[in-house]
Amino acid sequence: MARNLVLIVLHITYTTYTSTCYGAANKFGIGTYYPPSALQQDQLAAELVGRGGWVTILIPCGNITNTTILPPSCPGFSSEEVLQKAYALGLNVVARLEPLYNGDSQSSKCFAGMPSLRSLADDPNADNKTFKGAAESYAAVAASLPPPPDGVSLYVQIGNELNLAWGCSCDKNAPPCMSVDQMARESSAFLRDSLVALKAVKHIKVGLSPIAPIGTLGKQCCQSATCPMAHNISLKAIDFIRLMLKYEPDLYHTADWYSSHAYPCDAKGCGQTTSACKGWNTPYNQSYAALTTYRNETALVKAEGQVLPVVITETGWCMDCCSEEDRATWSVQAFNNIYLPDDNVVAVTPFLLAGGQWWPKGFPWIYPNGTKCPVYNSVKILRCSLFKDGSC
């Protein structure tokens, strides 16, 4: 599951969406990971999804604090260049905007990811935490990104998988363990304040953090060894969302769209030890419920009867317990039987086109040498049968 973003996509309202983007009926997309490899990811993405298709772009920023996020600053990386290339190729952009790990040794390698949420609070020691400083910083970075062509908006995703991808602040007051209830409380406050700040940016549409299909019952702080809850991965995404809504009942009511990470996990749940793949990477014919979890989630968070349009910003099969041919067949089945017929799904950007660090886990659709995997070729054939362009 990819890791942490502020996402950006295309939309006016659900009922008028089709008049505001390139080839709106084209739902085909792919996720990309930056800093870029030697591969020409923009061209490979465009060839796969076609003009009017979608690309999720992971864009690292500088270090984030509760008062400052530096502009995108990885050596050799330009958010201006990357987004303008995508626009020129006729792609709808879903931009994952991430800070570098604050103070992490990986920062020198430009590795992006969510920092500790608690460290971003205006007062990390307050009981009812606010995140207005960090929220304004996120909004400033989003506002600095180049706007797409007229009539098109960037979708910004605030955060990523908050039921997994963050921890407690490593200060002297940090407890060894944070309960999932406290995780949800602080996550909802962070999202609440960020949504308010980002809604003021004119050329973007805002969605909240996708929640991982299943998460922990707690979070260890400072790598504490005394937090058994952090190793109990059993709470479903919809239950974590319910916990957040307990603290912020209207949390999703002003969001523009819904970001989903509906991965193919069976009923036993991702991360469990009940199968050879820990409940992960389930064959298509056993994973319909998991691949459509976004439907129950959007029904839960809807405001005034309005169900948010959905962008599935991560999904797909890796190479655990399946062959290249399996994931190619299953991905085509998912598009044909779930995503394409569902009018509420705007786009699907599986994880991941290319990324060296993700190749050992078997996610990328392009081999490190640039050869296209069977899943790339099979999905492209399906896309070309529906939306033919010069790349077909």
Side-chain angles (χ1 to χ4, degrees), residues 222-239:
C222 308
Q223 303 302 310
S224 169
T226 59
C227 187
M229 293 187 298
H231 305 287
N232 187 335
I233 307 174
S234 61
L235 191 73
K236 292 181 179 180
I238 197 164
D239 294 320

Side-chain angles (χ1 to χ4, degrees), residues 235-255:
L235 191 73
K236 292 181 179 180
I238 197 164
D239 294 320
F240 188 82
I241 294 169
R242 286 192 180 100
L243 286 176
M244 291 198 297
L245 295 178
K246 179 176 73 172
Y247 293 105
E248 297 293 335
D250 299 333
L251 183 61
Y252 290 81
H253 287 194
T254 57

Side-chain angles (χ1 to χ4, degrees), residues 46-57:
E47 181 184 343
L48 171 65
V49 306
R51 187 168 184 85
W54 297 76
V55 59
T56 290
I57 301 176

